[in-house]
Amino acid sequence: MFLKSLSLRGFKSFADRTVLEFEPGVTVIVGPNGSGKSNIVDAFTWVLGSHSPKSLRGGSMSDVIFAGSGIAAEGNGRNGAEGGQRSGRPALGRASAEITIDNSRGALPIEFTEVTIGRAMFATGETSYTINDVECRLLDVQELLSDTGLGRESHTIVGQGQLETVLNARPEDRRAFIEEAAGI
Ligand code: ATP
């Protein structure tokens, strides 16, 4: 399955609409510390239905919404990144992310050669999911991906901290990871 693109708007440090096109051959995203690389990974887990603020490195689910930056964000406790387009931006009330998967080989059980899965969240905590712009339930997203191994509980997405946990785990814990990945 080929992941074609990721589109973000109001998600974490991506206040403006940002589209990442993963042309064939793109295998890595680089950038200085704190530039938002992990936020990109968080966006994938989030679109796939993550309900855990901890796995998204936040205190509450609505922490994924752009919280403002620079002068305009003073007092909200999250004005980490400086300069650039984010300086002095007020907080937003909505976060959204979309992933587009190439389905020309029919890996997903849906009659489209391209499938876009989206999630949006409002500051009130209200959240919605879409498949090719049609509103749906999280269950529909999960069912669509169920045979692919891609999903919020699988190990297709391994974060920085998670890798460290695996490497430092006791043999019993490591066994649990392997069993989970193997679907036992
Ligand atoms: P590292 O190399 O340290 O892992 P990184 O490039 O992966 O860094 P991230 O951790 O993805 O960077 O991004 C952190 C940046 O995102 C920080 O500047 C933080 O202030 C900003 N950030 C996170 N959540 C929000 C939010 N809701 N609103 C605005 N900015 C946010």
Side-chain angles (χ1 to χ4, degrees), residues 12 33-39 57 63 65-67 78 81 160:
K12 292 211 167 186
N33 282 350
S35 61
K37 303 180 297 291
S38 304
N39 291 346
R57 302 177 305 135
D63 281 349
I65 302 171
F66 177 71
R78 245 197 272 120
Q160 255 177 84

Side-chain angles (χ1 to χ4, degrees), residues 63-99:
D63 281 349
V64 299
I65 302 171
F66 177 71
S69 67
I71 300 155
E74 246 174 33
N76 75 359
R78 245 197 272 120
N79 52 0
E82 284 140 20
Q85 56 174 359
R86 304 218 288 114
S87 64
R89 293 281 297 258
L92 297 175
R94 181 181 187 268
S96 64
E98 287 181 345
I99 56 171

Side-chain angles (χ1 to χ4, degrees), residues 10-162:
F11 185 88
K12 292 211 167 186
S13 50
F14 296 90
D16 294 316
R17 181 162 188 264
T18 306
V19 182
L20 291 105
E21 305 268 2
F22 303 111
E23 302 288 341
V26 174
T27 52
V28 65
I29 295 172
V30 294
N33 282 350
S35 61
K37 303 180 297 291
S38 304
N39 291 346
I40 292 173
V41 181
D42 294 341
F44 284 106
T45 339
W46 188 68
V47 169
L48 299 177
S50 175
H51 281 307
S52 150
K54 197 168 146 256
S55 77
L56 297 165
R57 302 177 305 135
S60 76
M61 283 312 285
S62 55
D63 281 349
V64 299
I65 302 171
F66 177 71
S69 67
I71 300 155
E74 246 174 33
N76 75 359
R78 245 197 272 120
N79 52 0
E82 284 140 20
Q85 56 174 359
R86 304 218 288 114
S87 64
R89 293 281 297 258
L92 297 175
R94 181 181 187 268
S96 64
E98 287 181 345
I99 56 171
T100 300
I101 296 166
D102 182 307
N103 194 37
S104 47
R105 289 192 192 167
L108 302 178
I110 186 170
E111 299 289 312
F112 290 98
T113 51
E114 209 174 86
V115 179
T116 299
I117 301 170
R119 180 175 180 181
M121 176 174 260
F122 292 90
T124 52
E126 198 184 319
T127 192
S128 64
Y129 293 88
T130 51
I131 294 175
N132 284 356
D133 290 327
V134 177
E135 198 153 327
C136 65
R137 302 162 303 169
L138 171 58
L139 190 65
D140 300 316
V141 174
Q142 287 168 338
E143 273 178 14
L144 182 67
L145 299 172
S146 61
D147 283 340
T148 65
L150 192 67
R152 64 192 165 115
E153 305 296 352
S154 71
H155 293 294
T156 14
I157 300 169
V158 180
Q160 255 177 84
Q162 232 177 325

